[in-house]
Amino acid sequence: MPDDMKALDVKNAVSAEEWQARVDCAMLYRLVALHGWDDMIFTHISHRVPGPEHHFLINPYGMFFEEITASSLVKVDLDGNIVMDTPHFINPAGFTIHSAIHANRDDANVVIHVHTDQGVAVSAQKEGLLPITQTAMIVREDLAYHDYEGIALDLDERERLVADLGPEKSSMMLRNHGTLTCGPTAAMAFTKMFFLERACKMQVLALSGGRENVLEAGRDIQEKVAGQGSGGMETLTEKLIWPGLKRKLDRNMPGYDS
């Protein structure tokens, strides 16, 4: 069956709300690839399916992020069972991390997890993310940490991960592993990851000149910047950043919405 027919079948089989969630989730996969944050077939992005069932969408294991489309995403329940016919399967490690957050945070409709060079580098630094850039100071008050426990196959880790994230924070440093963000929408989760990843990259560059040469902001400035950074961010993200990212994808990686 041609790809456009497969897409038509999926679109006709789901609600309009689910199809929009699929398009948004596929956008996220393509955007992560476009920004160079992907790791071949590893790491994951998940998106809750609107409705009471606690189903969510995740990538088909084996597809590269730039290949993922709205119709190829796999729908699973919180126990990792695939609940809609698909030729694909999922990665259990990806399910462990994402299901933990979806099950415990009603506001976390979208979860993004990546293994970038800079994100992993900062996650392996004892001091974590330092208040040495404006970008980092915007992020730090919303940043949680979770200690490394090995490849995320142990379902028992979910309880500890959720406890470390807490009820309000939406960015996390997975020690010796990578970065994670969540949000009520694809746009918000992506914007949080954009700021976190940029802060990590800036830190790696700054520390290349030696820790003793890095200038940290005082606590009063950190609090001021954190407050300034949170003001109006949701409106900017939904009304300006997300539409711009869609235009960029349409120019550079079209086909995500099929």
Side-chain angles (χ1 to χ4, degrees), residues 116-142:
T116 67
D117 293 347
Q118 64 266 14
V120 175
V122 174
S123 79
Q125 294 174 355
K126 290 181 180 179
E127 294 182 283
L129 188 64
L130 298 168
I132 59 175
T133 63
Q134 175 174 277
T135 307
M137 285 182 269
I138 291 172
V139 170
R140 287 179 84 248
E141 295 301 314
D142 187 42

Side-chain angles (χ1 to χ4, degrees), residues 101-157:
I101 298 172
H102 284 295
N104 289 277
R105 287 278 298 269
D106 289 338
D107 61 318
N109 290 322
V110 179
V111 180
I112 303 174
H113 169 44
V114 296
H115 302 154
T116 67
D117 293 347
Q118 64 266 14
V120 175
V122 174
S123 79
Q125 294 174 355
K126 290 181 180 179
E127 294 182 283
L129 188 64
L130 298 168
I132 59 175
T133 63
Q134 175 174 277
T135 307
M137 285 182 269
I138 291 172
V139 170
R140 287 179 84 248
E141 295 301 314
D142 187 42
L143 185 62
Y145 290 83
H146 175 65
D147 288 340
Y148 188 60
E149 299 188 24
I151 295 174
L153 296 172
D154 183 358
L155 295 181
D156 291 342
E157 184 180 356

Side-chain angles (χ1 to χ4, degrees), residues 139 142-144 165 169-173 180-182 192 196:
V139 170
D142 187 42
L143 185 62
L165 183 62
K169 292 188 176 181
S170 54
S171 298
M172 174 173 269
M173 195 73 69
L180 179 147
T181 61
C182 60
K192 289 178 182 295
L196 178 55

Side-chain angles (χ1 to χ4, degrees), residues 1-181:
M1 183 185 296
D3 287 344
D4 57 347
M5 291 299 293
K6 292 178 183 177
L8 184 62
D9 285 348
V10 173
K11 187 173 184 180
N12 288 337
V14 301
S15 67
E17 293 78 14
E18 177 175 334
W19 183 252
Q20 185 59 58
R22 285 176 171 272
V23 171
D24 289 345
C25 191
M27 274 187 67
L28 289 175
Y29 278 101
R30 300 286 185 107
L31 285 168
V32 165
L34 191 62
H35 284 78
W37 301 340
D38 50 340
D39 185 15
M40 292 201 302
I41 63 172
F42 306 106
T43 81
H44 310 277
I45 301 165
S46 57
H47 196 308
R48 190 190 305 275
V49 175
E53 296 87 359
H54 277 279
H55 293 163
F56 62 97
L57 306 167
I58 199 164
N59 53 311
Y61 200 29
M63 291 184 71
F64 279 48
F65 282 18
E66 68 266 21
E67 299 175 310
I68 291 175
T69 63
S71 57
S72 67
L73 290 163
V74 180
K75 183 161 63 171
V76 299
D77 63 20
L78 285 172
D79 293 320
N81 301 306
I82 294 174
V83 297
M84 182 175 177
D85 287 342
T86 176
H88 306 294
F89 61 99
I90 67 167
N91 178 9
F95 165 74
T96 300
I97 293 172
H98 291 249
S99 64
I101 298 172
H102 284 295
N104 289 277
R105 287 278 298 269
D106 289 338
D107 61 318
N109 290 322
V110 179
V111 180
I112 303 174
H113 169 44
V114 296
H115 302 154
T116 67
D117 293 347
Q118 64 266 14
V120 175
V122 174
S123 79
Q125 294 174 355
K126 290 181 180 179
E127 294 182 283
L129 188 64
L130 298 168
I132 59 175
T133 63
Q134 175 174 277
T135 307
M137 285 182 269
I138 291 172
V139 170
R140 287 179 84 248
E141 295 301 314
D142 187 42
L143 185 62
Y145 290 83
H146 175 65
D147 288 340
Y148 188 60
E149 299 188 24
I151 295 174
L153 296 172
D154 183 358
L155 295 181
D156 291 342
E157 184 180 356
R158 294 187 294 185
E159 182 178 345
R160 293 182 291 276
L161 188 149
V162 169
D164 287 337
L165 183 62
E168 296 181 353
K169 292 188 176 181
S170 54
S171 298
M172 174 173 269
M173 195 73 69
L174 300 169
R175 290 293 196 177
N176 310 101
H177 184 175
T179 55
L180 179 147
T181 61

